[in-house]
Amino acid sequence: MRLDKYIKVSRLIKRRTVAKSACDAGRVYVNDKQAKAGTEVKIGDIITIGFGDKQLKVKITEIAETVKKDEAKEMYEFVE
């Protein structure tokens, strides 16, 4: 699955266009490497997203095309 779509479906960022912009701005890393919006992600990958002076680091535990809002939190687990 594309990185920007995963970020949107898992609700780490609410809109795909915002997720794409964050990737294009260099604020998103997959396995400690700067990632573009089209980067393919898989289960076990570590995603790091920079929000200003804070960083969100999660590990992918599940990939799904669509999920309900309540189930989105089950797609990842927080690291650190």
Side-chain angles (χ1 to χ4, degrees), residues 13-69:
I13 295 178
K14 302 286 189 243
R15 290 185 212 96
R16 189 165 176 180
T17 54
V18 177
K20 185 178 183 316
S21 297
C23 293
D24 293 342
R27 296 194 322 247
V28 180
Y29 292 80
V30 175
N31 298 327
D32 295 324
K33 294 180 184 169
Q34 196 169 9
K36 297 188 183 218
T39 302
E40 290 292 317
V41 294
K42 58 191 180 308
I43 293 173
D45 284 349
I46 306 286
I47 298 175
T48 307
I49 305 172
F51 294 104
D53 59 348
K54 293 184 180 180
Q55 279 196 338
L56 175 68
K57 196 169 192 178
V58 296
K59 180 178 181 181
I60 298 175
T61 57
E62 182 182 330
I63 293 179
E65 291 294 319
T66 57
V67 292
K68 293 188 168 112
K69 186 177 180 181

